[in-house]
Amino acid sequence: MALAHSIFTPLKPLTTTPRPLLPHNFPPRLPLCRAANINRRQLIAETAAAIVLPPLLGVTLSPIPAAKAEETPLSEWERVFLPIDPGVVLLDIAFVPDDLNHGFVLGTRQTILETKDGGTTWVPRSIASAEEEDFNYRFNSISFKGKEGWIIGKPAILLHTSDAGENWERIPLSSQLPGDMVYIKATGEQSAEMVTDEGAIYITSNKGYNWKAAIQETVSATLNRTVSSGISGASYYTGTFSTVNRSPDGRYVAVSSRGNFYLTWEPGQAYWQPHNRAVARRIQSMGWRADGGLWLLVRGGGLYLSKGTGLTEDFEEVSVQSRGFGILDVGYRSQDEAWAAGGSGILLKTTNGGKTWIRDKAADNIAANLYSVKFINDNQGFVLGNDGVLLKYLG
């Protein structure tokens, strides 16, 4: 249907040294007037102060330098310190395909930062059209295709650029948009795909001024219409998505807000397809592996991988050292190498497609939750967290 005008981690040999002689006046005599009243601790302290040991022959004493408290460097990541207020949660990052030194990172509290050196340094970016109203925007998602880029946020705001982010234009939106915008993908010239937390998917081909629904109804409508669908927790569903992820070929996987089931959608389908979770614990997040299969995270730190590369409800658990903290996201650098991040600085790495994982213990010193792992390409990756924590991949 066409929606008019903007809807929406060997012993050493012993040597003997002559014992130094003690001074002739050891132990020191204390005045009688004080001897009766001095306590044992004071006696020891004054006795020690009165002893002057002669220096050892041939030995020069040097002052001991003070120990320095330094952070253990991460093996393959470095932290980039950002000019933002404490408490900001970073939510998304993207770079201009034609210039991978030029990128933007988004966050809460109306945070937009810009880099022109590949993410080594960042500066705040002001967009006038996002500051006209008295709102504290949460910028959720950003995407570029060529020089064309999109930003969405909450409360509902849509920004568009056609010159690699030098200038941003605000596109008006309809108050009838079902749910909050949580994801946007630039797909071509003046074209984009947008998803809301209620499962609405819209497509535009004219810079966002008109949108076409790619799905016939929201998730709530689908589940409530098919009450006998057999999906645990789906009947009379009135919640929203907690996470949604898109594959490179346009397929989506989303997790219900309570984590009791998940849904998938492929281009051409009229409705979201709900799936029972195949694990006992509730789902934290899901996403796509580099080989086209799915990864699944459960609350409490469990990691599962789907069997095969297609859509399936058959998953197997993989052992991970999460220390009991939840894993929140997985990002693939290549088909074999991936990184997982989570609560209290958990950072894990696999080099065999996810079969085994090792923890980067140096990351334990990071006092933050790591929410998102984003690889722009094989050599450029970032981990986003709360309190403005940004890690840059070194390789």
Side-chain angles (χ1 to χ4, degrees), residues 96-147:
V96 179
D98 297 339
D99 181 7
L100 293 177
N101 285 320
H102 188 195
F104 297 83
V105 65
L106 310 181
T108 57
R109 302 185 185 180
Q110 205 153 323
T111 299
I112 302 179
L113 301 176
E114 184 177 15
T115 181
K116 292 189 176 181
D117 58 10
T120 301
T121 59
W122 298 80
V123 295
R125 175 61 190 270
S126 175
I127 299 178
S129 58
E131 298 174 352
E132 295 174 353
E133 301 174 4
D134 189 22
F135 288 126
N136 192 357
Y137 288 105
R138 171 193 177 100
F139 292 116
N140 290 321
S141 181
I142 181 172
S143 180
F144 278 94
K145 180 77 171 182
K147 292 185 177 180

Side-chain angles (χ1 to χ4, degrees), residues 50-353:
I51 299 174
V52 180
L53 298 179
L56 298 178
L57 297 176
V59 177
T60 302
L61 299 178
S62 301
I64 301 175
K68 293 182 179 180
E70 297 181 351
E71 290 187 2
T72 304
L74 297 175
S75 58
E76 297 179 67
W77 301 82
E78 69 175 357
R79 180 172 178 181
V80 179
F81 290 89
L82 304 177
I84 55 179
D85 295 332
V88 170
V89 180
L90 302 181
L91 299 174
D92 201 8
I93 189 170
F95 284 76
V96 179
D98 297 339
D99 181 7
L100 293 177
N101 285 320
H102 188 195
F104 297 83
V105 65
L106 310 181
T108 57
R109 302 185 185 180
Q110 205 153 323
T111 299
I112 302 179
L113 301 176
E114 184 177 15
T115 181
K116 292 189 176 181
D117 58 10
T120 301
T121 59
W122 298 80
V123 295
R125 175 61 190 270
S126 175
I127 299 178
S129 58
E131 298 174 352
E132 295 174 353
E133 301 174 4
D134 189 22
F135 288 126
N136 192 357
Y137 288 105
R138 171 193 177 100
F139 292 116
N140 290 321
S141 181
I142 181 172
S143 180
F144 278 94
K145 180 77 171 182
K147 292 185 177 180
E148 193 157 9
W150 305 78
I151 293 176
I152 59 170
K154 177 184 178 181
I157 185 172
L158 174 64
L159 302 173
H160 173 265
T161 179
S162 56
D163 56 7
E166 295 301 324
N167 298 282
W168 292 88
E169 172 190 8
R170 183 167 180 175
I171 308 297
L173 291 168
S174 169
S175 60
Q176 302 300 314
L177 185 69
D180 296 320
M181 295 179 294
V182 292
Y183 179 82
I184 194 163
K185 174 69 176 179
T187 57
E189 184 178 356
Q190 296 191 353
S191 301
E193 192 171 276
M194 180 183 65
V195 184
T196 75
D197 61 355
E198 290 189 9
I201 303 176
Y202 293 103
I203 298 172
T204 183
S205 57
N206 65 350
K207 207 169 68 172
Y209 286 100
N210 295 98
W211 296 82
K212 178 182 178 181
I215 204 164
Q216 292 186 13
E217 59 189 12
T218 64
V219 175
S220 293
T222 297
L223 296 178
N224 293 336
R225 179 172 50 81
T226 57
V227 175
S228 59
S229 62
I231 304 301
S232 176
S235 299
Y236 303 107
Y237 174 82
T238 56
T240 56
F241 291 161
S242 61
T243 65
V244 58
N245 274 294
R246 184 184 190 273
S247 70
D249 61 359
R251 294 177 295 164
Y252 283 92
V253 60
V255 177
S256 69
S257 58
R258 291 179 293 178
N260 49 354
F261 64 95
Y262 67 98
L263 309 100
T264 57
W265 179 83
E266 296 182 2
Q269 291 181 335
Y271 311 103
W272 284 89
Q273 177 63 46
H275 303 266
N276 277 312
R277 71 181 193 270
V279 295
R281 286 181 287 176
R282 292 180 182 265
I283 305 172
Q284 176 71 47
S285 182
M286 294 181 70
W288 302 93
R289 304 197 306 261
D291 64 1
L294 289 165
W295 53 262
L296 181 153
L297 304 174
V298 297
R299 298 178 186 181
L303 170 61
Y304 294 76
L305 300 178
S306 65
K307 295 181 180 181
T309 59
L311 289 177
T312 177
E313 295 183 4
D314 194 3
F315 286 78
E316 56 186 355
E317 187 172 10
V318 178
S319 176
V320 292
Q321 301 175 8
S322 66
R323 300 185 300 153
F325 294 102
I327 304 175
L328 303 175
D329 194 26
V330 177
Y332 276 76
R333 175 176 172 264
S334 66
Q335 189 158 320
D336 295 324
E337 182 181 330
W339 291 81
S344 192
I346 286 292
L347 197 57
L348 307 166
K349 177 185 179 182
T350 180
T351 56
N352 54 16

